[in-house]
Amino acid sequence: MKITVIGSGYVGLVTACCFAEIGNDVICVDHDQRKIDALRQGKPTVYEEFLPELLTRHGGARLNFSWDLVESVRSADIIFVAVGTPQSADGQADLSYVEAVAHQIAPALGNGFKLIVNKSTVPVYTAERVRRTLLLSGAKPETFDVASNPEFFREGTAVTGFLYPDRIVIGADADRSVALLREVYQPLTTGAYRETATAIPPPQNALAKIRLIATTTKSAELIKHSANAFLAMKVSFINAVSNVCDAVGADVEEVCEGMGSDARIGKRFLKPGIGYGGSCFPKDIIAYRAVAIENGYHFNLLTEIMRTNEEQRLRFIAKIRRTLWNLKGKRLGVLGLAFKGGTDDIRESPAIYIIQALLREGCIISVFDPAAMKNARECDFGSQLKFAEGAYEAAQGCDALLILTDWEEFACLDLVRLRGELKHPIIFDGRNLYSPEEVAKAGITYVSVGRPDVSPEGLPVASL
Ligand code: UGA
């Protein structure tokens, strides 16, 4: 199949590389010439496992990059639209890029039937609006159809998430379009791809059989927003529970174990911490709420999910203040900048939010992140923040160490060495990466989320 992917951000680039990997001829289009130049040289523009391999494997052969949208659309059977849908001032998704692309696609239609597919996360009715825009721009109705095929992969595991998904959702109102999309995904749904000798290895929890769910465009659009909102709700729910645990002296990790063992609930996305972030959950929930209101329904639960998320960050800062007393002039080591482990993405990162709040309080911060330092250096944090070369360096001479991102390497630090680096042996763990007993045994006071604080013998109790 000849596929064109418009947009080379996280979603567009991974989609393009993976479609090439499962045997299609792909052109990935972006108007940013610098990105196209880099990608043509095989340099990934986002940090994602397996992306460099796929670029090397298919770049210049089955996978090409271009800034010529019209030409790329002309040569394609299916066009996936994966441009950004940022948040506009009123909370709604800003769909102006999607609309602009539709206007640009229209003149390239006419040589045979083409299927235009929304891959970006978009609100309900977007496929309908894209269809109308194409018609307004002069496209003949018999030359195209518009479908919805939301993507569910996660940053950090995007390539394996694409190749081994839990399900594939296609929303299309014409049988012909459903058939085309079924054909594209066949190597994944039949399991043929995983049998190929060079297949990217499946993750541990990969399903043997991948279901393709065919539905209407409206339902597909709602599936995406509802799935993200539900996951964010799970995170906010367990964070709210962690606050009750803090209040009564219970252990939220044990509560999670007990709750999550109910198959109807499940343990995934039930990890307490400093709240969710990233480029999807915060934006999507606001957009979902806006679209519900626009259609006459006040989805108040979504407002509460966001409020709990915001509160979680503030509560963590309050714990630090309660333990360290005055924050002005305190030296803090910080581990983590990315919104979660496994990515260099700092968009809407709770770590960044907390760092900025502490800098405003007059703290002096030394921070380390295994992948997100480059992105963070582009922000203006002022002179009170220094970038360290590693976790132990970040801790050197500090009044306390903060863990703000769940990187695996932060979960297996040498605690005794860390204790030696710190001026005062205190760790605030916003991701519950350690067992409290283990940290206390290393002679460190440990304050985490939803679990009683622990102090080694002889040291004052962390919080009052
Ligand atoms: C999310 C969804 O999980 C994907 O299914 C979806 O495709 C994607 O958004 C999108 O719309 O494009 P992602 O933003 O990459 O993926 O990140 P997640 O792994 O879902 O994590 C989101 C946030 O929730 C992170 O800040 C993470 O630290 C936090 N989180 C997650 C928790 O605090 N606890 C958990 O148990 C799980």
Short mmCIF file of all heavy atoms in Angstrom, two decimals, residues 121 151-155 224 228 231 235 269-271 275-277 280-281 284 339-340 406 431, ligand 1:
data_model
loop_
_atom_site.label_atom_id
_atom_site.label_comp_id
_atom_site.label_asym_id
_atom_site.label_seq_id
_atom_site.Cartn_x
_atom_site.Cartn_y
_atom_site.Cartn_z
N THR A 121 -5.17 12.95 17.93
CA THR A 121 -6.30 12.94 18.85
C THR A 121 -7.16 14.16 18.55
O THR A 121 -6.70 15.30 18.67
CB THR A 121 -5.80 13.00 20.31
OG1 THR A 121 -4.92 11.90 20.50
CG2 THR A 121 -6.95 12.92 21.29
N GLU A 151 -4.67 6.70 17.71
CA GLU A 151 -3.48 5.95 18.11
C GLU A 151 -3.44 5.87 19.64
O GLU A 151 -3.76 6.82 20.32
CB GLU A 151 -2.24 6.71 17.58
CG GLU A 151 -0.96 5.98 17.75
CD GLU A 151 -1.07 4.51 17.34
OE1 GLU A 151 -1.26 4.24 16.17
OE2 GLU A 151 -0.96 3.64 18.23
N PHE A 152 -3.06 4.72 20.15
CA PHE A 152 -3.07 4.55 21.61
C PHE A 152 -1.68 4.31 22.19
O PHE A 152 -1.55 4.00 23.37
CB PHE A 152 -3.99 3.39 22.01
CG PHE A 152 -5.42 3.61 21.59
CD1 PHE A 152 -5.91 3.03 20.44
CD2 PHE A 152 -6.25 4.43 22.34
CE1 PHE A 152 -7.22 3.24 20.05
CE2 PHE A 152 -7.56 4.65 21.96
CZ PHE A 152 -8.06 4.06 20.80
N PHE A 153 -0.62 4.38 21.34
CA PHE A 153 0.70 4.09 21.91
C PHE A 153 1.14 5.17 22.88
O PHE A 153 0.63 6.29 22.85
CB PHE A 153 1.76 3.81 20.83
CG PHE A 153 2.03 4.92 19.85
CD1 PHE A 153 2.46 6.17 20.24
CD2 PHE A 153 1.91 4.67 18.49
CE1 PHE A 153 2.76 7.17 19.33
CE2 PHE A 153 2.19 5.67 17.56
CZ PHE A 153 2.61 6.91 17.98
N ARG A 154 2.08 4.78 23.75
CA ARG A 154 2.57 5.70 24.78
C ARG A 154 3.98 6.12 24.44
O ARG A 154 4.75 5.35 23.89
CB ARG A 154 2.59 4.99 26.14
CG ARG A 154 1.23 4.50 26.57
CD ARG A 154 1.36 3.50 27.69
NE ARG A 154 1.91 4.12 28.89
CZ ARG A 154 2.35 3.44 29.93
NH1 ARG A 154 2.34 2.12 29.92
NH2 ARG A 154 2.84 4.05 30.98
N GLU A 155 4.30 7.36 24.81
CA GLU A 155 5.67 7.81 24.61
C GLU A 155 6.61 6.91 25.39
O GLU A 155 6.30 6.48 26.50
CB GLU A 155 5.83 9.25 25.09
CG GLU A 155 5.24 10.22 24.11
CD GLU A 155 5.45 11.67 24.54
OE1 GLU A 155 6.42 11.95 25.25
OE2 GLU A 155 4.62 12.50 24.14
N LYS A 224 -11.10 7.47 21.77
CA LYS A 224 -9.77 8.00 22.11
C LYS A 224 -9.84 8.96 23.31
O LYS A 224 -9.10 8.83 24.29
CB LYS A 224 -9.18 8.71 20.88
CG LYS A 224 -7.90 9.44 21.12
CD LYS A 224 -6.77 8.52 21.49
CE LYS A 224 -5.62 9.30 22.04
NZ LYS A 224 -4.37 8.64 22.08
N ASN A 228 -8.29 8.10 27.22
CA ASN A 228 -7.31 8.93 27.92
C ASN A 228 -7.89 9.51 29.21
O ASN A 228 -7.22 9.54 30.25
CB ASN A 228 -6.83 10.07 27.01
CG ASN A 228 -5.62 9.64 26.17
OD1 ASN A 228 -5.26 8.46 26.17
ND2 ASN A 228 -5.01 10.57 25.47
N LEU A 231 -8.02 6.76 31.91
CA LEU A 231 -6.69 6.47 32.48
C LEU A 231 -6.27 7.57 33.45
O LEU A 231 -5.75 7.31 34.52
CB LEU A 231 -5.66 6.30 31.36
CG LEU A 231 -5.83 5.04 30.51
CD1 LEU A 231 -4.93 5.09 29.28
CD2 LEU A 231 -5.51 3.79 31.34
N VAL A 235 -5.42 7.50 37.58
CA VAL A 235 -4.26 8.12 38.25
C VAL A 235 -4.75 9.07 39.35
O VAL A 235 -4.28 9.02 40.50
CB VAL A 235 -3.37 8.86 37.23
CG1 VAL A 235 -2.24 9.60 37.94
CG2 VAL A 235 -2.79 7.90 36.19
N PHE A 269 -1.85 1.66 35.72
CA PHE A 269 -2.31 3.04 35.86
C PHE A 269 -2.90 3.32 37.24
O PHE A 269 -3.73 4.20 37.41
CB PHE A 269 -3.27 3.45 34.73
CG PHE A 269 -2.50 3.94 33.56
CD1 PHE A 269 -1.83 3.05 32.76
CD2 PHE A 269 -2.37 5.30 33.31
CE1 PHE A 269 -1.05 3.49 31.71
CE2 PHE A 269 -1.59 5.75 32.27
CZ PHE A 269 -0.93 4.84 31.48
N LEU A 270 -2.44 2.54 38.18
CA LEU A 270 -2.88 2.74 39.56
C LEU A 270 -1.65 3.08 40.42
O LEU A 270 -1.58 2.73 41.58
CB LEU A 270 -3.55 1.44 40.05
CG LEU A 270 -4.76 1.58 40.97
CD1 LEU A 270 -5.80 2.53 40.40
CD2 LEU A 270 -5.39 0.22 41.22
N LYS A 271 -0.67 3.75 39.79
CA LYS A 271 0.55 4.09 40.53
C LYS A 271 0.42 5.50 41.07
O LYS A 271 0.30 6.45 40.31
CB LYS A 271 1.77 3.99 39.62
CG LYS A 271 2.52 2.69 39.82
CD LYS A 271 4.01 2.77 39.60
CE LYS A 271 4.88 3.07 40.78
NZ LYS A 271 4.51 2.74 42.12
N GLY A 275 1.27 13.02 40.11
CA GLY A 275 0.24 13.36 39.13
C GLY A 275 0.69 13.10 37.71
O GLY A 275 1.86 12.90 37.43
N TYR A 276 -0.29 13.13 36.81
CA TYR A 276 0.01 12.89 35.40
C TYR A 276 0.45 14.18 34.71
O TYR A 276 0.17 15.29 35.18
CB TYR A 276 -1.19 12.27 34.68
CG TYR A 276 -2.42 13.17 34.66
CD1 TYR A 276 -2.52 14.24 33.76
CD2 TYR A 276 -3.48 12.95 35.52
CE1 TYR A 276 -3.64 15.05 33.74
CE2 TYR A 276 -4.61 13.75 35.49
CZ TYR A 276 -4.69 14.81 34.60
OH TYR A 276 -5.78 15.62 34.58
N GLY A 277 1.16 14.02 33.59
CA GLY A 277 1.57 15.17 32.78
C GLY A 277 1.65 14.72 31.33
O GLY A 277 0.99 13.76 30.93
N CYS A 280 -0.52 14.75 26.32
CA CYS A 280 -1.84 14.19 25.97
C CYS A 280 -2.88 14.36 27.07
O CYS A 280 -3.87 15.06 26.86
CB CYS A 280 -1.68 12.73 25.61
SG CYS A 280 -0.54 12.50 24.24
N PHE A 281 -2.67 13.71 28.21
CA PHE A 281 -3.73 13.72 29.23
C PHE A 281 -4.23 15.15 29.56
O PHE A 281 -5.42 15.39 29.49
CB PHE A 281 -3.25 13.04 30.52
CG PHE A 281 -3.23 11.53 30.46
CD1 PHE A 281 -3.56 10.85 29.29
CD2 PHE A 281 -2.89 10.78 31.58
CE1 PHE A 281 -3.53 9.46 29.24
CE2 PHE A 281 -2.86 9.39 31.55
CZ PHE A 281 -3.18 8.74 30.37
N ASP A 284 -6.01 16.67 26.49
CA ASP A 284 -7.17 15.91 26.02
C ASP A 284 -8.36 16.04 26.97
O ASP A 284 -9.51 16.07 26.54
CB ASP A 284 -6.82 14.43 25.85
CG ASP A 284 -5.88 14.22 24.68
OD1 ASP A 284 -5.62 15.19 23.94
OD2 ASP A 284 -5.38 13.08 24.51
N PHE A 339 8.21 14.06 31.92
CA PHE A 339 6.91 13.86 32.57
C PHE A 339 6.72 12.43 33.05
O PHE A 339 5.85 12.15 33.87
CB PHE A 339 5.75 14.32 31.67
CG PHE A 339 5.35 13.36 30.58
CD1 PHE A 339 4.29 12.48 30.77
CD2 PHE A 339 6.00 13.36 29.36
CE1 PHE A 339 3.88 11.62 29.76
CE2 PHE A 339 5.62 12.49 28.35
CZ PHE A 339 4.57 11.62 28.54
N LYS A 340 7.56 11.51 32.51
CA LYS A 340 7.60 10.13 33.00
C LYS A 340 8.92 9.54 32.53
O LYS A 340 9.59 10.12 31.66
CB LYS A 340 6.41 9.33 32.47
CG LYS A 340 6.42 9.19 30.94
CD LYS A 340 5.34 8.26 30.46
CE LYS A 340 5.50 8.01 28.97
NZ LYS A 340 4.54 7.09 28.42
N ASP A 406 9.90 8.73 37.12
CA ASP A 406 10.10 7.29 37.40
C ASP A 406 11.01 6.61 36.39
O ASP A 406 10.61 5.64 35.74
CB ASP A 406 8.74 6.57 37.50
CG ASP A 406 7.85 6.77 36.28
OD1 ASP A 406 8.15 7.66 35.47
OD2 ASP A 406 6.84 6.06 36.15
N ARG A 431 7.62 9.39 43.35
CA ARG A 431 7.21 8.27 42.49
C ARG A 431 7.21 6.92 43.22
O ARG A 431 7.07 5.88 42.58
CB ARG A 431 8.15 8.18 41.28
CG ARG A 431 8.15 9.43 40.40
CD ARG A 431 6.85 9.59 39.67
NE ARG A 431 6.90 10.70 38.72
CZ ARG A 431 5.98 10.90 37.80
NH1 ARG A 431 4.95 10.10 37.70
NH2 ARG A 431 6.05 11.93 36.99
C1 UGA B 1 -1.09 8.55 26.98
C2 UGA B 1 -1.92 7.26 26.88
O1 UGA B 1 -1.50 6.32 27.88
C3 UGA B 1 -1.77 6.63 25.49
O2 UGA B 1 -2.63 5.49 25.40
C4 UGA B 1 -2.18 7.66 24.45
O3 UGA B 1 -2.01 7.14 23.13
C5 UGA B 1 -1.32 8.90 24.59
O4 UGA B 1 -1.49 9.43 25.92
C6 UGA B 1 -1.78 9.91 23.57
O5 UGA B 1 -2.92 10.39 23.67
O6 UGA B 1 -1.07 10.12 22.57
P1 UGA B 1 1.52 9.12 27.35
O7 UGA B 1 1.09 10.55 27.41
O8 UGA B 1 2.69 8.74 26.55
O9 UGA B 1 0.29 8.20 26.81
O10 UGA B 1 1.84 8.72 28.85
P2 UGA B 1 1.34 7.66 29.92
O11 UGA B 1 2.30 6.58 29.99
O12 UGA B 1 -0.07 7.33 29.69
O13 UGA B 1 1.47 8.52 31.24
C7 UGA B 1 0.75 9.75 31.41
C8 UGA B 1 1.08 10.38 32.74
O14 UGA B 1 0.44 9.68 33.79
C9 UGA B 1 2.56 10.41 33.09
O15 UGA B 1 2.87 11.67 33.66
C10 UGA B 1 2.71 9.30 34.10
O16 UGA B 1 3.79 9.51 34.99
C11 UGA B 1 1.37 9.37 34.81
N1 UGA B 1 0.98 8.09 35.43
C12 UGA B 1 0.71 7.01 34.64
C13 UGA B 1 0.90 7.99 36.80
O17 UGA B 1 1.15 8.97 37.54
N2 UGA B 1 0.51 6.80 37.36
C14 UGA B 1 0.24 5.71 36.60
O18 UGA B 1 -0.11 4.65 37.17
C15 UGA B 1 0.34 5.81 35.21
#
